[in-house]
């Protein structure tokens, strides 16, 4: 696995690089947001470990810039652990959020979990596109269209929509969704789930695609 480490604190960066080397990962270190964006094309990482407090560009803006051109998994590694920081980073396209200080074994486990969830492995079997009325969800191309219009979803929004649409009409509990979409390592509040649902509804142009079931969770259905 090729890992791009974006960290301007030399002490933290050295510890991460040493641990990744010990775990037999190929890594590259940059200390600025612009350095990260340049390395995305030159180094072509399999995953990015991104600090938020960079000297030139805020990490959330870097994450958004990465997501415009790439589906490469991004894990934010930051001392800014407030819920709003987590939510903003996830909204900008991050796949996970690790708060400093952290254990390297946990970080490596999260990296592997994110790569499994995002289907970065070449062994992943392509899934055919699914059509629900005017809505088309294509997991292989990571594309969503409503009618003839393509809808841009962040990787996490796409994963959430694909999960709910896997069993149309079924009610998914909040805990079940968090476990399967954010994996068992997710310790945030369910407000993050609500934020993602609201964003998907807005982008699809009709809130009825995802119905709230009071006290339980959510259900995907085709609006009549």
């Amino acid at each position: 696995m090729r890992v791009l480490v974006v960290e301007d604190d030399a002490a933290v960066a050295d510890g991460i690089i040493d641990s990744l080397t010990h775990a037999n990962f190929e890594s590259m270190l940059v200390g600025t947001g612009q350095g990260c964006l340049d390395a995305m094309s030159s180094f072509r990482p399999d995953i990015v470990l991104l600090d938020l407090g960079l000297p030139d560009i805020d990490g959330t803006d870097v994450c958004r810039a990465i997501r415009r051109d790439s589906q490469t998994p991004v894990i934010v590694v930051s001392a800014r652990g407030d819920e709003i920081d987590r939510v903003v980073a996830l909204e900008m396209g991050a796949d996970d959020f690790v708060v400093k200080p952290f254990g390297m074994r946990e970080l490596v486990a999260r990296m592997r979990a994110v790569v499994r969830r995002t289907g970065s492995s070449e062994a992943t079997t392509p899934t055919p596109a699914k059509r629900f009325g005017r809505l088309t969800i294509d997991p292989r191309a990571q594309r969503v269209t409503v009618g003839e219009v393509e809808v841009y979803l962040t990787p996490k929004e796409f994963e959430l929509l694909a999960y709910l649409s896997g069993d149309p009409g079924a009610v998914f509990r909040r805990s079940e969704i968090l476990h399967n979409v954010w994996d068992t390592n997710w310790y945030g509040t369910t407000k993050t789930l609500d934020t993602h649902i609201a964003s998907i509804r807005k982008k699809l142009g009709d809130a009825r695609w995802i119905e709230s079931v009071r006290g339980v969770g959510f259900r995907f259905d085709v609006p009549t």
Side-chain angles (χ1 to χ4, degrees):
M1 191 187 302
R2 296 163 64 88
V3 185
L4 177 59
V5 180
V6 189
E7 174 62 66
D8 66 328
D9 186 317
V12 174
D14 289 344
I16 294 176
I17 294 296
D18 287 346
S19 297
L20 293 177
T21 301
H22 183 71
N24 296 319
F25 293 135
E26 181 183 355
S27 59
M28 177 179 181
L29 172 66
V30 296
T32 64
Q34 187 58 54
C36 170
L37 299 179
D38 293 340
M40 289 301 297
S41 56
S42 60
F43 182 60
R44 299 184 65 83
D46 297 307
I47 191 167
V48 179
L49 303 181
L50 176 65
D51 184 24
L52 294 182
L54 300 172
D56 57 340
I57 309 173
D58 188 80
T60 54
D61 293 327
V62 175
C63 185
R64 178 167 49 189
I66 292 174
R67 198 52 73 225
R68 279 200 299 264
D69 303 317
S70 170
Q71 296 298 317
T72 302
V74 176
I75 297 180
V76 170
V77 182
S78 176
R80 287 155 49 178
D82 291 343
E83 181 182 355
I84 185 62
D85 293 311
R86 291 172 178 262
V87 170
V88 170
L90 294 169
E91 281 295 292
M92 292 301 101
D95 296 278
D96 202 351
F97 196 112
V98 176
V99 180
K100 298 176 183 176
F102 55 88
M104 276 306 303
R105 283 185 295 182
E106 177 192 359
L107 179 59
V108 170
R110 285 175 178 262
M111 290 166 56
R112 288 175 171 149
V114 164
V115 169
R116 286 196 302 269
R117 292 202 314 271
T118 55
S120 296
S121 169
E122 293 180 359
T124 301
T125 302
T127 303
K130 297 179 291 184
R131 292 177 175 82
F132 308 94
R134 299 177 64 246
L135 175 66
T136 301
I137 304 172
D138 187 348
R140 184 178 62 83
Q142 293 278 298
R143 295 180 63 189
V144 172
T145 56
V146 177
E148 300 298 323
V149 180
E150 183 169 357
V151 178
Y152 171 75
L153 300 181
T154 68
K156 187 59 65 179
E157 289 170 351
F158 183 92
E159 188 177 356
L160 176 56
L161 178 61
Y163 176 74
L164 294 175
S165 64
D167 191 359
V171 178
F172 293 89
R173 295 182 177 276
R174 288 172 172 269
S175 58
E176 181 183 359
I177 298 171
L178 288 169
H179 175 82
N180 287 285
V181 179
W182 273 265
D183 85 31
T184 54
N185 290 320
W186 175 255
Y187 297 103
T189 69
T190 60
K191 289 182 180 179
T192 297
L193 173 57
D194 293 322
T195 300
H196 281 73
I197 292 290
S199 179
I200 293 171
R201 285 169 168 166
K202 181 178 180 180
K203 292 178 179 180
L204 295 183
D206 191 333
R208 294 177 297 170
W209 283 108
I210 302 178
E211 179 185 355
S212 298
V213 181
R214 189 183 180 98
V216 182
F218 298 96
R219 171 171 50 217
F220 174 87
D221 211 345
V222 180
T224 58

